[in-house]
Amino acid sequence: MIIATTLVLASCGGNQRKADDPLADTGRTQRTENLLTNLKVLGDSGVYLFGHQDDTVYGVGWEYEDDHSDVKGVCNDYPALLGFDLGNIEKGDSVNIDGVPFERIRQEVIRQYDHGGMVSLSWTIDDGIQGDVDLVADFLNSLETPYGVKVPVVLRLRKDQTKELWAMVVDRMKEKRVNNVLYAYSAEANAEGNEAEFLAQYPGDDIIDLIGVECYCDALEADSTQIAGYATLLDKNLAMLSAVAKKRQKALALTETGYERIKTKDWWTKTLAPVLAKYPICYVMVWRNAHNQQEYYFAPYPGQQSSSDFVRFYNDKKTLFLHDVNGLYHVR
């Protein structure tokens, strides 16, 4: 009986059933194409995912604790979108530019997918790629669940990007059979919302799936004039990008934003939300809450002065957090 039971268990383990992960006509996984379709639908529907960089790996006063998040501590919900950076993976390092182990990032990507949420991976590059692009491809290919599904993610080159660099990266990803990635082109907001300036390094519609802008509020303390200046700058750039996205049939996002230390109590509902409500963005990503840099944070934590306003932002029908999303990888 013992031998028979052992054989049965071995047989079950050896024939563990894998989920179906079909490819679309584009060569990418169908789930990846479905994510792109749903991101466009979100923008057209007037709602958007809220994202936070490194949200589940550290925050103000803590690091690498299970089931911890500054955002969750404030509104009892996780961001629908998590962001992580791949900078230094091309050098063979085990941790990224902010000290986060790549193995931990891989685990968080898969966990976020299993919870129904989405992940955006930025790749910070300074002075060209000083390393092996194949290491990035290998990491992207490793984002597979235990049941055999490659997790769809968005990849965005950050800082030093050129048309030539984009083409080289995407070509190499194809050669390495990376089929679970959407590509996002983003540039810093420019003073006049100038389309030509924004598209100066745009690599082409055949490469890019999503366009976005990086725009930060640099107001000192609670300077109302500077805060209003941020809203105007963001408004100009999103107005321009909305037209670009419509013309080129791309999804639109605010890929990086935030107000360091969030120095006013109502920044979320009085400054950020009114601008976002005017445009068909699919997500907004605020930057990280450092655990090792005093007063460097872009999302509230429990007790931070904008926490109550952030709860109002959370309850806005236009904002989507993890509890609000379902079926991002399926098209009904």
Side-chain angles (χ1 to χ4, degrees):
M1 289 180 64
I2 292 174
I3 293 173
T5 302
T6 302
L7 288 173
V8 169
L9 290 174
S11 175
C12 291
N15 293 292
Q16 184 175 359
R17 197 178 169 113
K18 294 289 187 178
D20 187 29
D21 195 21
L23 295 180
D25 293 340
T26 59
R28 294 191 290 210
T29 69
Q30 188 60 57
R31 285 178 174 84
T32 305
E33 292 297 337
N34 292 347
L35 176 60
L36 178 58
T37 297
N38 285 321
L39 290 177
K40 292 177 179 178
V41 169
L42 286 177
D44 291 340
S45 302
V47 295
Y48 52 87
L49 307 173
F50 175 80
H52 185 209
Q53 186 80 359
D54 287 347
D55 180 82
T56 54
V57 293
Y58 58 73
V60 177
W62 65 275
E63 59 178 321
Y64 306 116
E65 298 177 14
D66 291 338
D67 301 319
H68 205 154
S69 157
D70 284 348
V71 167
K72 184 175 185 290
V74 172
C75 66
N76 198 34
D77 199 355
Y78 289 100
L81 170 66
L82 298 181
F84 301 101
D85 199 273
L86 299 182
N88 285 350
I89 197 171
E90 73 281 1
K91 300 176 183 178
D93 290 357
S94 62
V95 300
N96 74 359
I97 57 174
D98 298 312
V100 183
F102 289 113
E103 177 56 26
R104 179 61 184 258
I105 293 174
R106 191 183 71 82
Q107 294 169 5
E108 294 294 335
V109 170
I110 295 171
R111 183 179 294 116
Q112 180 73 350
Y113 171 80
D114 281 340
H115 291 163
M118 177 186 157
V119 172
S120 173
L121 298 174
S122 52
W123 181 12
T124 299
I125 303 168
D126 291 308
D127 301 322
I129 298 176
Q130 306 295 319
D132 190 350
V133 177
D134 285 3
L135 294 176
V136 178
D138 292 343
F139 179 80
L140 295 170
N141 277 328
S142 78
L143 301 176
E144 184 175 308
T145 68
Y147 46 92
V149 171
K150 290 181 74 173
V151 177
V153 295
V154 170
L155 179 65
R156 174 172 63 94
L157 302 190
R158 187 167 181 261
K159 290 192 175 180
D160 188 11
Q161 60 176 330
T162 64
K163 295 178 181 180
E164 294 75 20
L165 185 62
W166 261 113
M168 184 272 287
V169 167
V170 173
D171 283 346
R172 192 58 185 150
M173 295 300 122
K174 290 178 180 178
E175 291 170 2
K176 293 285 287 185
R177 298 184 180 180
V178 175
N179 55 15
N180 56 324
V181 173
L182 300 175
Y183 297 102
Y185 173 83
S186 181
E188 292 184 8
N190 63 74
E192 299 303 321
N194 182 274
E195 179 178 336
E197 184 175 341
F198 173 81
L199 294 174
Q201 296 301 330
Y202 184 72
D205 291 342
D206 57 330
I207 289 178
I208 297 302
D209 303 291
L210 183 150
I211 61 173
V213 65
E214 304 160 21
C215 186
Y216 284 89
C217 183
D218 297 322
L220 300 174
E221 297 310 320
D223 188 311
S224 59
T225 300
Q226 289 182 313
I227 292 172
Y230 160 79
T232 299
L233 179 65
L234 181 59
D235 195 14
K236 283 183 179 180
N237 280 266
L238 286 180
M240 175 268 293
L241 285 180
S242 294
V244 173
K246 183 177 181 180
K247 180 171 59 178
R248 297 175 180 271
Q249 297 183 315
K250 305 299 177 184
L252 172 64
L254 178 50
T255 54
E256 280 188 41
T257 195
Y259 185 12
E260 187 176 346
R261 292 193 289 133
I262 321 164
K263 307 177 189 82
T264 57
K265 294 181 179 180
D266 57 2
W267 186 80
W268 301 100
T269 62
K270 300 300 182 183
T271 301
L272 182 64
V275 179
L276 300 188
K278 298 167 61 177
Y279 300 105
I281 66 166
C282 59
Y283 71 76
V284 54
M285 169 83 75
V286 299
W287 208 235
R288 64 195 190 96
N289 287 12
H291 64 89
N292 55 358
Q293 291 177 254
Q294 189 175 11
E295 301 296 296
Y296 185 82
Y297 57 86
F298 294 85
Y301 55 88
Q304 201 274 333
Q305 67 169 338
S306 73
S307 293
S308 295
D309 189 58
F310 187 81
V311 172
R312 287 188 285 272
F313 176 77
Y314 169 78
N315 287 323
D316 188 326
K317 293 180 180 179
K318 291 182 177 295
T319 62
L320 301 178
F321 286 69
L322 191 57
H323 285 165
D324 301 313
V325 296
N326 181 34
L328 283 176
Y329 305 95
H330 301 279
V331 175
R332 294 179 177 84

